[in-house]
Amino acid sequence: MMTSLDGQQQHQLAEYLNALRLTSIREQFTEVAQQAARESLSYEQYLLELVRHEWEMRQNRRIARLLRESNLPYEKTLDTFDLSRLPTQAQHAVTLMQQGFFLDNAENVLAFGNPGTGKTHLLCAVAQHLVRQGHRLWFTTCSLLVQQLLRAKRDLTLGTSLKKLHTFEAIVIDDIGYVQHNREEMEVLFTLLADRYERRSVMITSNLPFSKWETIFKDPMTTAAAIDRVVHHSVIVELNLPSYRMEEAQKGKHTGQQGEKSFSETGNH
Ligand code: ADP
Ligand code: MG
């Protein structure tokens, strides 16, 4: 026969659970005890139920926090991405990336292709998938990143900034080479790439093939060194496709509707 707690004991238990920060258990122990009585659960099964609730709540909160922190556009997911458009080799790369081993090995991901081929959507989708598995990733555009690092350098806090970025297993750097940067700006980007080399991943999208990266890094030596560092351990995804937007617009013409409307624009490239 179950004996329930008297008022003072109830209060005491709630206080203990508060002190131990076991919020979900505090909120649910009475209800779960009633359920245990109804279903004749053993003491251990009751404990399992309670702890499961606590764990699930914490896990959900953690993922929600990681998603907020990640700065990723929520609507760019694998569910809304048509993988069948990709070349077979790229499809294989996506399957591999979803497992997240590249993060453990500090490998990089590079997505190349013309504008509109889905580079940003794809890498954001893979990144979001990994965040939902509990990984810490952060999305930024190359321009914003460069500005942030430059500010840090001028404030003499570049080291601290890089250290902070180290807490992210991968940084998605969107659109390297899209905006022309001056030498000082490129230097801080190079510093970041060198800093992460073999320690943390970067996931880069670019419209420019390596052969044009000298326009990004200005001199041949820095360019070679940058390419060397990002390529050394990397997965390269080549999206040599027609632009998705163009193709959808074409389809829209034939069917009388605008294909692009189903995808909300986020302001990210
Ligand atoms: P890129 O970064 O290569 O310029 P985006 O990732 O921004 O291209 O894609 C352009 C638009 O087309 C976005 O709205 C994106 O969601 C959509 N898109 C691109 N490829 C696909 C795809 N394979 N499936 C679904 N939507 C796609
Ligand atoms: Mg893009």
Side-chain angles (χ1 to χ4, degrees):
M1 184 62 215
M2 288 276 171
T3 52
S4 39
L5 306 175
D6 65 32
Q8 199 194 339
Q9 287 170 323
Q10 287 256 6
H11 182 71
Q12 208 170 32
L13 178 55
E15 296 266 285
Y16 282 140
L17 292 171
N18 257 349
L20 294 169
R21 299 183 200 294
L22 296 167
T23 324
S24 169
I25 296 187
R26 193 201 66 216
E27 284 167 1
Q28 305 206 17
F29 72 85
T30 313
E31 199 182 307
V32 181
Q34 285 162 1
Q35 178 202 342
R38 265 197 321 273
E39 297 172 14
S40 313
L41 299 187
S42 67
Y43 294 122
E44 287 91 341
Q45 285 169 327
Y46 167 66
L47 182 62
L48 175 62
E49 269 312 291
L50 272 188
V51 173
R52 193 207 316 276
H53 280 297
E54 183 70 32
W55 182 84
E56 275 171 5
M57 184 204 70
R58 288 195 190 192
Q59 189 68 2
N60 290 343
R61 269 203 207 151
R62 183 175 133 79
I63 302 296
R65 179 170 47 80
L66 289 176
L67 280 173
R68 270 197 312 277
E69 235 179 38
S70 74
N71 196 33
L72 283 163
Y74 282 21
E75 67 282 13
K76 302 292 174 196
T77 63
L78 285 170
D79 287 341
T80 57
F81 192 82
D82 179 5
L83 277 172
S84 69
R85 279 191 98 233
L86 304 194
T88 322
Q89 195 234 1
Q91 291 183 16
H92 286 315
V94 174
T95 311
L96 201 69
M97 286 189 284
Q98 283 183 66
Q99 295 166 358
F101 295 129
F102 74 94
L103 296 174
D104 302 330
N105 304 328
E107 287 168 12
N108 302 323
V109 174
L110 301 155
F112 290 109
N114 290 327
T117 50
K119 301 180 296 295
T120 301
H121 188 147
L122 181 63
L123 292 204
C124 285
V126 168
Q128 184 172 144
H129 177 84
L130 294 170
V131 170
R132 289 185 185 280
Q133 290 178 2
H135 292 287
R136 282 195 80 195
L137 286 89
W138 183 60
F139 171 87
T140 182
T141 64
C142 184
S143 314
L144 285 175
L145 177 67
V146 162
Q147 295 316 318
Q148 179 181 332
L149 294 175
L150 204 56
R151 260 198 316 275
K153 188 183 166 204
R154 288 177 182 158
D155 295 344
L156 306 177
T157 56
L158 186 57
T160 322
S161 273
L162 293 177
K163 232 189 216 156
K164 224 163 132 193
L165 293 178
H166 250 268
T167 61
F168 295 104
E169 293 164 76
I171 304 180
V172 183
I173 306 174
D174 196 29
D175 268 333
I176 274 202
Y178 183 68
V179 177
Q180 284 286 313
H181 293 289
N182 64 35
R183 197 171 279 267
E184 196 191 6
E185 291 171 329
M186 273 3 279
E187 250 170 45
V188 284
L189 180 63
F190 180 80
T191 306
L192 171 92
L193 295 176
D195 180 72
R196 291 184 79 84
Y197 175 62
E198 291 194 326
R199 302 202 288 166
R200 290 296 200 184
S201 303
V202 288
M203 300 170 75
I204 293 174
T205 76
S206 187
N207 300 331
L208 296 180
F210 288 132
S211 57
K212 302 226 173 89
W213 275 30
E214 207 172 311
T215 61
I216 311 176
F217 290 98
K218 313 299 174 200
D219 72 280
M221 284 289 279
T222 317
T223 306
I227 293 176
D228 205 53
R229 276 165 184 76
V230 291
V231 169
H232 186 190
H233 310 282
S234 67
V235 181
I236 296 182
V237 186
E238 294 273 5
L239 301 181
N240 298 319
L241 305 164
S243 154
Y244 183 85
R245 285 192 247 259
M246 294 279 265
E247 213 167 81
E248 289 298 292
Q250 289 293 332
K251 270 192 223 161
K253 255 184 221 156
H254 296 310
T255 59
Q257 26 168 281
Q258 275 292 332
E260 205 179 333
K261 276 193 186 140
S262 54
F263 289 98
S264 51
E265 288 294 329
T266 61
N268 297 308
H269 300 284

